[in-house]
């Protein structure tokens, strides 16, 4: 790798947007307050100043409108990168995404495609108002025809965003907002892409596999590091990165080695991503499993108002407990 | 500190040129050459006859349920003939005539309503989207296409359609608003057939005209006799020209009537009176246009008859092609369901495709075995 | 049980609506074409004639409008029973249901409730047009705060609909449309309710548990009956009925006995109901499992246009194969 | 076969009664008794001072992010004072003054913005819904409440609010349309502060006034000086009376200005000029109303001062109560997150509640142990 620069995730996403606008004139950025306000999280900083109002578009306040017109624009040949201000409000765009972005290619036997990205901050941990903290990636991942990815830090955010923008299909790009400015990481000077549909084994281990993604990945990492320091255990840690398509092969390979699995995510448990991971491990590595797979996830309630959101969220202690229970099973 | 009326500056108009008795308002009559006029009529006729033939096919089990389009030919053809091939045509599902005009083959149309994705693949040489089922959602695509034209600096227009009932959906509102804010070159044509399946327009909205909804978006609105193909043409052409000149979108309401049930699954007697239907049959769009063409000397009665025969042959040929195609290996291949979802093959779908493939092979073996057994049993008798 | 009457599922649902309107003046029926058209499937036959336009309401064509106003009406004290013409179009109502129907009680600490039902025909098998055949119950079941049920025939349809209408929470009521007129069943004269959240063991067995619901339940039943006739196997068959809350206790108890499980449903596999069932069995009956759980489900593609929908759908042969593979594992 | 303009019959008006210099149009002035006028002012003041105090709390970490409401008092109070307790009040999130007027306690307001569900529980004795975050979605609830009133034959009204930007959402359209079709007694009040966060109204819609959107629903629309509490009262009262008399809904647009950032997380310098803000500060709603009250002899300068002191004390007491409450066992109990989702306890949530409970106990034990160890370590020193 040539040079690198240290930056936080907000900056890394902003960098990817600058780079994408620079290298491909078909890329446009659109959404509520993405122009002169530079986004409520300042992710679109400097874009309208540099690329003008034609390519960095402050839209009316209407999520179906944003995604529906983005579909039209993508069919025309553009590559819209849309910001939904908070993932919670993407509910309003569900029909456009499910009925159209997910289907145009299939129903026209490959003739029409919709290369667009729906970027959205998600998840809890920043003491935000109600309807500003949910993690409902499973809702989108259940839609055949969409791709759903979620980075866990600056480098994966920038790389996955480039992958998403270059992808010829509609990609839902989750931004775990609690990570925006949580930490910095080295990001290569050269534009990098991560293949959509591939997980990363971040750390090898022998006794247990832990799979996570997004902000929960940081929690899982924290737990794993503490456990390996304090206890005599060796844990393999996988960053899912791509939620759909999901790379169960990497997970199953790991479980074949460790025999045990804990999945950590912030979204509700019932029909959450962990359920599908368990189902695939059951299908592909059943005989390797030596203990039930543990789910450390959000509970099946709406995210509590922020005074008690920390109790809803997975934390390192919850993860550590689950890991030890699974190892000792 | 006054109390005063706010003046509405949006222009909302009504237009009719060719009445039900084929009287024409010469001042308003568009200057269309004979070839164009003939082409317009021909596609109205092709649309009508195809619709009728498809109904027969449906009744005899050769076609799936479909939304019939008889009565909607003038709205569709009057508007579609006002755009160029390179413009965009974004239909709902009653634009049969217009789609044929744009080059959608009869076999595609039939394949679509017979449950083949191949019927949704747009023809080459035009910029068309396929039928759209979730009502009003296509209007946002049209707005987006129009926005893209502005971004790219292309002087084109997007022509899109929706029903009267569909104007109740939020997507209608968002689409007209986006188009208007971004001065997108879009013409929104309402097929106002006065019913959403069974619900009459008076229960769908509380305003006198659909056209006046344009006031909410600061755009011009025009209500047109939707059985008058000339008026539809004029209204659309003005809107198209304005859009291409940077004047933004227009809402065109074509008042018409469904001469048929909503779809082949529907029974309109439940909600429409025979009197009402009869009255509207009298306002039928083809008859008056045929008369106009004859009066004008564009076609003779004999030519009209010949056209009927031509159209009939064309439809027969189309049906035949569709039935051949639907028996082709390619179109019968169930494994194709996995092939077009994403730009590349994913491991996950590859595995499911394999799963279905093996199952089908297993079934085939099973059948062969059964046939074999049956055969053996038969010969044993 | 006193007397019974034989009827198909369309009739049974219609009966429940008549009964509910009759016994509770707060019940109102609303939706597109539910009045004089009597619904596109004729499920609302005779209602407007009997109960008038105030209580049987033809709404404008707007699904968010239907569910959003129903929420307001339910808060006011009514019990709206809404028809979404096809479940596919409920996409448009997703925000109202997810952001509001699912949350009012919780966010007002029990003060405000939204007793409403969202009825909708779903699933394939009737050669319907695109966007008329999907099964996406998992999308709704993933929403904390909603209840989701799906009957498998006339009797369960009528009983569950009464339960849903009497329930003080928002219930999504799926109607597997291919069953509307498929067969008749004895339905008791007395009004009956089935507890939401309870599955039914329809048939006991020893070698394998099969769980299904809705139209797929008929397919599963068919397969089970054939298998028991043709092969020397004993299969326990469970009709889930309630998708959320889900009665995993009944499933796990069965699996503890049989050691083997096949789940059958029509919706896409990825993050479908079977995934959650597998996850719960993994959590609660891990040691009993003697073979991987098999999923016989729709594939992870949009429902193919109807000429090939039968290949997408679970059929009795697919189920039978999966059962035998699981038993022989 | 004419071409002719369509006449718009919906009445769209503009209303202003009390101008920024406190000149009053005597012909239009509502006849309100002194007690009512005073009450209106008092709650405008309470709203303003609460907003200001909350900002200070937020800046010092004692409150979460919240949307500030300073400047919106006249729209809120002018309208809310036109309904009865038994009517329904369905706010968005800038109706702080109106909610206080309706009986929402200060501690509830503060609890809400401090992340406690208890702040969303409506007070007894009124028919209020809590704050609504997904913009425009509450308008459908109001339409439904209005429809229910008609079904039940209740002569009440639902008063609901939304922002200018929110009128771009599809739910806005569907709500106004449903209300209008069913002649539901609903008053839709737009807090037109000319911005949706940073996006100016000119980029949100392309029509001259928001009020004219009423034309699309066949309902009356009125644009009001939203800093003029008298005009807001008159416009709303007329709409309320019409609604209760069976005349259906009205759209009331109150033109005003946010004197603050959008929320405490926002920086308006990015998108609004200081000049513009200064101009609007000059149109501030409280000052002119206070002058009017003094001119009219309703209050004296001294009384106004006393009111300030009272309000200040009230806010202090409210903050105190909220801080006591937020430390109460009940409000601090994380396990409550499982208790209100459904009417009955489900097995599934019971298990998750138990899981969290055990985890919390485990943590507590861990902490005790740690403390113990720390203590032991300390004593060992
Ligand atoms: C979002 C959505 N809801 C419901 C339907 C079912 N549906 C199909 S056509 C129709 C009526 C449409 O009425 P209108 O817009 O007037 O068009 P028309 O069929 O009369 O041409 C309905 C309710 C649908 N296709 N899409
Ligand atoms: C559906 C939805 N999308 C986005 C947001 C985020 N958001 C909160 S307020 C706001 C601007 C609202 O503008 P307007 O309607 O004019 O009301 P104002 O805040 O100016 O009072 C936005 C975009 C939201 N709350 N809901
Ligand atoms: Mg119609
Ligand atoms: Mg605003």
């Amino acid at each position: 790798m040539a040079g690198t620069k240290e930056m936080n995730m907000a900056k890394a996403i902003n960098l990817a947007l600058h780079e994408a606008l620079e290298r491909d004139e078909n890329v446009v950025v659109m959404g509520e307050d993405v122009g002169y306000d530079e986004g409520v999280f300042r992710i679109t900083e400097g874009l309208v100043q540099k690329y003008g109002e034609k390519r960095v578009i402050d839209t009316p306040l209407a999520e179906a409108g944003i995604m529906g017109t983005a579909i039209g624009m993508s069919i025309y040949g553009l590559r819209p990168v849309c910001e939904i201000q908070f993932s919670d409000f993407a509910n309003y765009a569900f029909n456009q995404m499910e009925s159209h972005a997910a289907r145009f290619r299939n129903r026209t036997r490959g003739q029409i495609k919709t290369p667009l990205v729906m970027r959205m901050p998600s998840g809890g941990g920043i003491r935000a108002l109600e309807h500003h903290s949910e993690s409902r990636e499973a809702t989108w991942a259940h839609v055949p025809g969409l791709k759903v990815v979620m980075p866990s830090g600056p480098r994966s955010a920038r790389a996955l965003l480039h992958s998403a923008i270059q992808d010829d299909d509609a990609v839902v790009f989750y931004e775990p907002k609690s990570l925006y400015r949580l930490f910095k990481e080295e990001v290569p000077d050269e534009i990098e892409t991560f293949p959509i549909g591939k997980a990363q084994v971040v750390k090898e281990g022998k006794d247990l596999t832990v799979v996570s993604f997004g902000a929960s990945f940081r929690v899982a990492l924290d737990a794993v590091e503490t456990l390996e320091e304090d206890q005599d255990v060796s844990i393999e840690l996988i960053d899912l990165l791509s939620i759909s398509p999901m790379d169960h092969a990497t997970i199953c390979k790991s479980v074949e080695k460790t025999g045990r699995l804990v999945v950590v995510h912030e979204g509700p448990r019932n029909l959450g991503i962990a359920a599908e991971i368990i189902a695939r491990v059951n299908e592909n590595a059943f005989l390797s499993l030596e203990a039930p797979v543990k789910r450390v996830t959000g509970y099946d309630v709406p995210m509590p108002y922020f005074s008690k959101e920390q109790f809803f969220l997975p934390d390192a202690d919850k993860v550590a407990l689950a890991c030890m229970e699974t190892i000792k099973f | 500190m006054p109390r005063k009326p706010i003046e509405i500056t949006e222009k909302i108009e009504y237009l009719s040129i060719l009445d039900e008795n084929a009287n024409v308002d010469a001042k308003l009559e568009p200057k269309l050459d004979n070839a164009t006029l003939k082409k317009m009529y021909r596609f109205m006729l092709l649309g009508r006859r195809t619709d009728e033939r498809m109904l027969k096919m449906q009744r005899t089990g050769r076609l799936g349920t479909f939304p019939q389009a008889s009565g909607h030919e003038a709205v569709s053809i009057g508007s579609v003939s006002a755009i160029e091939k390179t413009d965009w045509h974004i239909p709902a599902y009653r634009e049969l005539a217009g789609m044929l005009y744009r080059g959608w083959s009869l076999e595609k149309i039939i394949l679509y309503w017979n449950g083949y994705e191949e019927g949704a693949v747009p023809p080459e040489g035009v910029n068309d989207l396929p039928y759209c089922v979730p009502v009003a959602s296509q209007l946002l695509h049209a707005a987006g296409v129009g926005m893209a034209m502005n971004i790219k600096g292309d002087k084109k227009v997007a022509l899109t359609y929706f029903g009267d009932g569909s104007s109740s959906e939020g997507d209608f509102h968002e689409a007209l608003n986006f188009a208007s804010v971004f001065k997108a070159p879009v013409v929104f044509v309402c097929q106002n057939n006065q019913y959403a399946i069974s619900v009459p327009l008076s229960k769908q909205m509380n305003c006198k005209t659909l056209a006046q909804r344009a006031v909410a978006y600061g755009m011009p609105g025009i209500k047109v006799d939707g059985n008058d193909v000339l008026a539809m043409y004029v209204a659309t052409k003005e809107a198209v020209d304005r859009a291409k000149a940077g004047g933004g979108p227009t809402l065109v309401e074509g008042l018409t009537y469904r001469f048929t049930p909503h779809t082949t699954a529907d029974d309109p007697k439940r909600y429409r009176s025979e009197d009402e239907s009869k009255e509207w049959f009298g306002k039928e769009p083809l008859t008056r246009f045929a008369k106009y063409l004859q009066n004008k000397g564009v076609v003779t009665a004999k030519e009209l008859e010949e056209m009927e025969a031509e159209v009939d042959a064309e439809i027969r040929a189309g049906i035949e092609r569709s039935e051949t195609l639907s028996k082709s290996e390619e179109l019968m291949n169930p494994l194709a369901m996995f092939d077009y979802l994403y730009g590349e093959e994913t491991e996950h779908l590859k595995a499911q495709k394999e799963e279905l493939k093996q199952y089908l092979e297993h079934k085939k073996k099973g059948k062969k075995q059964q046939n074999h057994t049956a055969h053996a049993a038969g010969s044993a008798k």
Side-chain angles (χ1 to χ4, degrees), chain A residues 121-137:
Chain A
S122 79
I126 65 156
R127 298 173 58 82
L129 188 47
E130 59 169 341
H131 302 284
H132 283 69
S133 299
E134 301 287 4
S135 291
R136 298 288 175 80
E137 58 282 355

Side-chain angles (χ1 to χ4, degrees), chain A residues 45-313:
Chain A
E45 210 167 70
L47 298 183
V48 72
Q49 294 83 349
K50 187 141 179 216
Y51 299 98
E53 291 189 16
K54 275 211 171 168
R55 295 184 61 205
V56 182
I57 307 167
D58 267 328
T59 66
L61 207 184
E63 290 74 12
I66 294 169
M67 297 320 304
T69 56
I71 289 169
M73 290 163 70
S74 70
I75 291 173
Y76 195 81
L78 299 177
R79 292 184 174 270
V81 184
C82 308
E83 175 173 305
I84 297 294
Q85 205 161 77
F86 289 85
S87 63
D88 313 63
F89 306 131
N91 285 348
Y92 267 135
F94 189 67
N95 184 58
Q96 283 292 339
M97 293 299 286
E98 199 279 335
S99 299
H100 293 300
R103 294 178 193 241
F104 257 113
R105 180 193 285 276
N106 181 59
R107 60 199 289 266
T108 62
R109 306 282 93 169
Q111 279 293 107
I112 293 179
K113 49 192 180 147
T114 54
L116 60 87
V117 180
M118 179 163 86
R119 290 181 42 233
M120 45 195 197
S122 79
I126 65 156
R127 298 173 58 82
L129 188 47
E130 59 169 341
H131 302 284
H132 283 69
S133 299
E134 301 287 4
S135 291
R136 298 288 175 80
E137 58 282 355
T139 304
W140 302 91
H142 183 57
V143 178
L146 295 181
K147 293 174 177 171
V148 182
V149 300
M150 192 173 332
S152 60
R155 185 171 168 190
S156 58
R158 189 233 205 169
L160 278 175
L161 185 51
H162 276 301
S163 304
I165 295 172
Q166 291 171 29
D167 199 288
D168 274 351
D169 294 308
V171 181
V172 178
F173 186 84
Y174 266 94
E175 302 178 2
K177 66 174 96 70
S178 64
L179 303 187
Y180 275 144
R181 293 173 170 85
L182 186 68
F183 67 100
K184 292 185 175 181
E185 197 176 55
E186 295 296 328
V187 169
D189 295 336
E190 302 276 288
I191 289 179
E192 185 180 42
T193 57
F194 281 1
I196 293 179
K198 285 276 166 258
Q200 277 180 11
V201 179
V202 175
K203 202 203 123 318
E204 302 208 358
K206 296 194 311 287
D207 305 324
L208 169 73
T209 304
V210 173
V211 175
S212 190
F213 52 90
S216 297
F217 173 79
R218 308 318 309 183
V219 170
L221 177 63
D222 193 11
V224 166
E225 285 176 348
T226 311
L227 281 176
E228 294 205 336
E229 241 170 66
D230 295 355
Q231 319 266 351
D232 183 24
V233 294
S234 157
I235 300 176
E236 183 140 316
L237 180 62
I238 296 177
D239 187 353
L240 197 58
L241 294 171
S242 179
I243 291 171
S244 177
M246 178 196 286
D247 182 6
H248 62 261
T250 295
I251 299 171
C252 292
K253 208 173 129 203
S254 176
V255 170
E256 277 161 19
K257 180 170 66 173
T258 63
R260 290 159 207 269
L261 175 64
V262 169
V263 186
V264 188
H265 64 65
E266 207 174 306
R269 186 173 304 168
N270 183 39
L271 289 157
I273 304 305
E276 181 62 26
I277 292 178
I278 293 171
R280 300 219 192 158
V281 167
N282 152 81
E283 281 160 355
N284 298 289
F286 178 75
L287 293 175
S288 308
L289 264 191
E290 286 164 42
V293 182
K294 278 251 171 214
R295 299 193 271 184
V296 183
T297 67
Y299 304 107
D300 291 316
V301 301
M303 172 67 96
Y305 288 10
F306 73 74
S307 72
K308 287 177 283 292
E309 66 173 331
Q310 76 271 25
F311 299 103
F312 175 91
L313 295 171

Side-chain angles (χ1 to χ4, degrees), chain B residues 189-223:
Chain B
V189 175
C190 179
Q191 293 262 18
N192 178 3
N193 59 14
Q194 309 172 57
Y195 288 88
I197 309 191
S198 71
V199 179
L201 195 47
S202 60
K203 286 187 175 178
Q204 195 75 237
M205 68 179 199
N206 190 36
C207 53
K208 268 191 331 192
T209 69
L210 234 149
Q212 78 191 56
R213 295 201 143 168
V215 172
Y217 310 103
M219 65 168 80
I222 184 163
K223 176 173 179 144

Side-chain angles (χ1 to χ4, degrees), chain B residues 154-171:
Chain B
D154 297 342
K155 287 262 160 293
K156 296 187 195 166
V157 72
L159 175 62
T160 188
Y161 298 83
F162 63 102
D164 46 313
S166 309
S167 80
S168 296
E169 293 280 5
D171 275 17

Side-chain angles (χ1 to χ4, degrees), chain B residues 46-94:
Chain B
L46 181 62
R48 174 68 57 86
R49 296 294 173 250
T50 303
D51 198 60
E52 289 166 351
R53 185 67 58 91
M54 278 167 56
L55 176 61
K56 284 194 194 129
M57 290 175 72
Q58 197 276 337
R59 294 298 185 222
T60 55
R62 287 165 70 201
L63 195 73
T65 300
F66 74 100
Q68 295 164 255
S70 289
H72 293 75
E73 297 86 357
V75 176
S76 183
I77 293 293
S79 50
V80 81
S81 56
I83 63 167
E84 308 293 321
K85 277 193 169 193
T86 47
D87 292 326
W88 284 64
H89 183 243
I90 302 179
Y93 50 76
R94 283 199 207 282

